[in-house]
Every structure is written in structure tokens, then in C-alpha cells.
């Protein structure tokens, strides 16, 4: 869809494309799109994945380019860029313009089309906000984060060189760089890892390697799979947190613990409640 074809747009940061965001998307109707105000902070859903999860076209403005515009100047910019824009959808707490001095009521006075305001969306008695999801991830509460997202939290990671101990003395792992995603709390997680069109159950470690070199790492071990070739990139989906990061006296003790982690992760994958995944995301791709 081109900008000239857009007739309805929801405006916001849309980090995460969570259950609350989906309520705005439902109000768009035909020829709807997201107008996303982008910043360079760590993301739940970086730029190239927002369209994947939202299911509608996405157009971006960099915050640094528009932060000094008055509210009316910003709306005039949208009118120039989206000449057929007839409807704007915003959340209950929408603020815009320099110093966020304009709100949803000002929008109705400035914009000469339809303005739809969506009330706060709650789930599990919690207001659904990206800030709450970030907090749950940093606390290691993957279950609650996933509930508010409406899907399993996933990251795309570049496979980087590790220390090499896993393959030789423990279990082979894929070492990941997941910049710019938000990193969940240190620990061991039951995960799913997607490589090309294949998805594997896995366990993922996050934290400093206390039992070896002390260096921070993110490492995934695929359960029951031996890769013939190391991929350049993978997607990892967080299912549940298994345990905290710990220091072991020797590699044999660490290996025994990893074996226990693998058993737990295998059971978690079997009983995982996929009801948190909405029908659209599940039919498209868990990742």
C-alpha cells in the first residue's frame, strides 16, 4: 500500500504490537495503516517486525525529526504525506507535538476528518502497555509478558562466535547477538528456535558465564538436533523461565544441571498453553 492509498491510520509508538495495540488496529477498517513514531530505544518489536505482527502496512517517522513540531504542524505534515487520510485512531493516553503538549481532544479540533479514541485495554486485570511488558521481561516473568503480548516474546539474533566450550565439553550452543531487542532477565529459559523454515525446541541461557570465563552471553541449545551447518541468523521465542543463573564448581556439575534443564524444557514445550497466541499471529507465525 502506498501513502496515497491510506485512508485510516493509527498513530503511536506501537512497540510490541500487543493486545492493546490490536484494539486500535481493529478500528482502522479498509485501507488502514500504522503511523509509527520511531525512537532508538531497545525494542520489544524492532522496525522490520511491526508489520509482520500488526498485519497492516506501517509507515515511520523518526522522533528526532518531528519532536519540535507543534501539534498542528505535525497533523499538517500527515495531511501532506497522506493526502487521502480520512480517519485517525489513537489510544486514550495519546499525546503529540512539541513536549507532548497536545492530546486526543486537541486532535479533534485540528484534524478535519474522523477521530476515533480507543479506551484502555485490560487483560488479566492489568492495563496492557509496552512498559508493563518490558517490566515483566526484565523481571523474568515470561508468562505475564506473553499474556499481554498475545504471543510468545521472540527475538531475531545474529549468530556470533562463542568460547567453544559447549560443543567440546558440554552441549553445543548458538551464541546470539539480539541487539536491539530487550533482553529478558538473566537465567535459563525454555524456548523455541526457528532456523529458516524449521522450528526446534530449545533452551536459552542469558547472563554472565559464571562457571567459565564470566563473559555475558546469550546461548541457545537445540533439543535433539545436530546442525550440519551453523546458521547466520535465528529467531528465538521465549516460552518460560526455568531457573536463575548459577555458578558451578566444575564443568561436570554444570553439564548435569543442563541435562536437568533440558528435561524441564522438554516438558514445558509439551504442555505449553498456546491460548496466549491470538488466532492471527498463530496462523501466520509464532515468531
Amino acid at each position: 500500500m502506498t501513502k496515497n492509498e491510506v485512508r485510516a491510520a493509527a498513530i503511536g509508538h506501537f512497540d510490541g504490537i500487543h493486545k492493546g495495540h490490536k484494539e486500535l488496529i481493529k478500528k482502522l477498517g479498509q485501507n488502514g495503516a500504522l503511523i509509527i513514531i520511531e525512537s532508538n530505544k531497545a525494542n520489544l518489536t524492532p522496525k522490520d517486525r511491526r508489520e509482520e505482527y500488526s498485519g497492516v502496512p506501517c509507515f515511520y517517522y523518526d522522533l528526532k525529526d518531528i519532536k519540535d513540531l507543534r501539534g498542528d504542524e505535525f497533523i499538517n505534515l500527515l495531511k501532506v504525506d497522506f493526502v487521502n487520510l480520512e480517519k485517525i485512531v489513537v489510544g486514550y493516553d495519546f499525546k503529540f507535538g512539541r513536549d507532548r503538549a497536545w492530546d486526543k481532544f486537541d486532535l479533534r479540533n485540528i484534524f478535519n476528518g474522523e477521530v476515533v479514541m480507543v479506551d484502555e485495554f485490560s487483560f488479566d486485570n492489568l492495563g496492557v502497555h509496552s512498559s508493563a511488558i518490558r517490566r515483566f521481561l526484565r523481571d523474568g516473568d515470561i508468562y505475564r509478558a506473553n499474556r499481554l503480548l498475545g504471543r510468545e516474546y521472540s527475538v531475531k539474533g545474529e549468530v556470533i562466535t562463542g568460547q567453544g566450550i559447549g560443543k567440546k565439553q558440554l552441549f553445543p550452543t548458538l551464541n546470539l547477538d539480539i541487539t536491539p531487542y530487550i533482553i529478558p532477565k538473566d537465567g535459563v529459559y525454555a524456548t523455541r528456535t526457528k532456523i529458516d523454515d524449521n522450528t526446534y525446541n530449545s533452551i536459552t541461557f542469558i547472563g554472565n558465564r559464571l562457571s567459565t570465563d564470566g563473559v555475558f552471553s546469550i546461548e541457545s541449545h537445540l533439543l535433539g538436533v545436530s546442525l550440519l551447518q551453523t546458521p547466520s541468523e535465528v529467531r528465538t521465542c521465549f516460552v518460560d523461565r526455568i531457573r536463575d543463573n548459577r555458578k558451578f564448581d566444575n564443568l561436570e556439575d554444570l553439564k548435569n544441571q543442563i541435562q536437568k534443564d533440558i528435561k524441564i524444557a522438554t516438558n514445558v514445550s509439551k504442555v505449553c498453553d498456546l491460548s496466549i497466541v491470538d488466532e492471527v499471529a498463530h496462523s501466520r507465525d509464532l515468531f
Side-chain angles (χ1 to χ4, degrees):
M1 182 186 297
T2 65
K3 289 184 177 181
N4 288 347
E5 294 174 294
V6 175
R7 295 190 177 276
I11 307 174
H13 291 289
F14 294 103
D15 185 19
I17 310 294
H18 51 58
K19 283 179 175 287
H21 293 146
K22 291 295 181 70
E23 294 302 304
L24 273 69
I25 294 169
K26 290 177 184 177
K27 302 294 186 181
L28 289 174
Q30 291 185 338
N31 292 79
L34 300 187
I35 294 177
I36 297 174
I37 312 303
E38 182 79 314
S39 65
N40 292 321
K41 296 179 181 178
N43 286 311
L44 297 168
T45 313
K47 189 172 184 176
D48 63 340
R49 304 195 67 191
R50 284 184 170 104
E51 188 161 323
E52 175 184 350
Y53 287 129
S54 67
V56 297
C58 297
F59 299 91
Y60 299 86
Y61 289 95
D62 196 305
L63 179 60
K64 65 180 175 58
D65 294 331
I66 63 171
K67 63 183 180 65
D68 293 326
L69 295 179
R70 298 191 312 267
D72 58 321
E73 291 175 330
F74 173 63
I75 298 304
N76 286 334
L77 173 64
L78 296 187
K79 290 178 180 178
V80 171
D81 287 350
F82 301 88
V83 295
N84 291 307
L85 186 62
E86 300 170 348
K87 178 168 71 173
I88 292 178
V89 180
V90 296
Y92 75 101
D93 57 351
F94 179 69
K95 304 280 186 181
F96 66 107
R98 184 189 306 148
D99 299 323
R100 292 169 52 83
W102 285 259
D103 62 17
K104 56 190 178 183
F105 301 108
D106 296 312
L107 178 60
R108 277 187 168 158
N109 294 325
I110 296 171
F111 182 62
N112 56 6
E114 181 184 1
V115 175
V116 178
M117 302 178 188
V118 178
D119 293 335
E120 181 181 21
F121 180 74
S122 296
F123 186 77
D124 284 353
N125 295 318
L126 292 170
V128 180
H129 304 283
S130 298
S131 57
I133 296 168
R134 292 190 196 98
R135 183 174 69 251
F136 288 139
L137 289 173
R138 289 174 176 139
D139 290 344
D141 193 341
I142 294 298
Y143 176 78
R144 285 190 177 182
N146 288 350
R147 295 279 288 179
L148 297 193
L149 281 169
R151 57 182 170 84
E152 295 169 346
Y153 178 62
S154 80
V155 300
K156 184 187 293 185
E158 176 189 356
V159 178
I160 59 177
T161 303
Q163 62 179 339
I165 290 179
K167 186 175 183 179
K168 295 177 180 177
Q169 301 181 56
L170 298 167
F171 295 88
T173 61
L174 299 173
N175 290 258
L176 308 177
D177 176 359
I178 64 170
T179 306
Y181 290 90
I182 289 176
I183 301 174
K185 182 180 180 180
D186 288 5
V188 178
Y189 294 83
T191 55
R192 310 181 204 278
T193 297
K194 184 173 183 179
I195 303 172
D196 297 325
D197 294 326
N198 299 310
T199 301
Y200 308 98
N201 291 330
S202 54
I203 57 170
T204 298
F205 166 80
I206 297 174
N208 295 85
R209 296 184 290 234
L210 301 178
S211 303
T212 55
D213 60 1
V215 172
F216 179 84
S217 69
I218 302 173
E219 306 178 24
S220 290
H221 168 68
L222 309 185
L223 306 188
V225 177
S226 296
L227 297 176
L228 298 177
Q229 196 170 24
T230 301
S232 60
E233 183 180 83
V234 302
R235 293 189 183 192
T236 298
C237 185
F238 290 84
V239 179
D240 203 359
R241 191 169 187 269
I242 295 175
R243 64 172 174 86
D244 290 334
N245 186 13
R246 291 168 49 195
K247 182 176 181 179
F248 294 87
D249 293 332
N250 53 67
L251 291 183
E252 189 60 32
D253 287 347
L254 174 57
K255 186 172 184 178
N256 290 335
Q257 180 59 58
I258 294 174
Q259 289 174 327
K260 294 177 183 178
D261 297 338
I262 289 173
K263 289 181 181 179
I264 294 172
T266 300
N267 290 331
V268 166
S269 298
K270 288 179 180 178
V271 301
C272 176
D273 179 11
L274 291 179
S275 65
I276 62 168
V277 183
D278 62 46
E279 291 182 3
V280 174
H282 190 215
S283 64
R284 287 165 61 90
D285 191 343
L286 279 174
F287 296 83

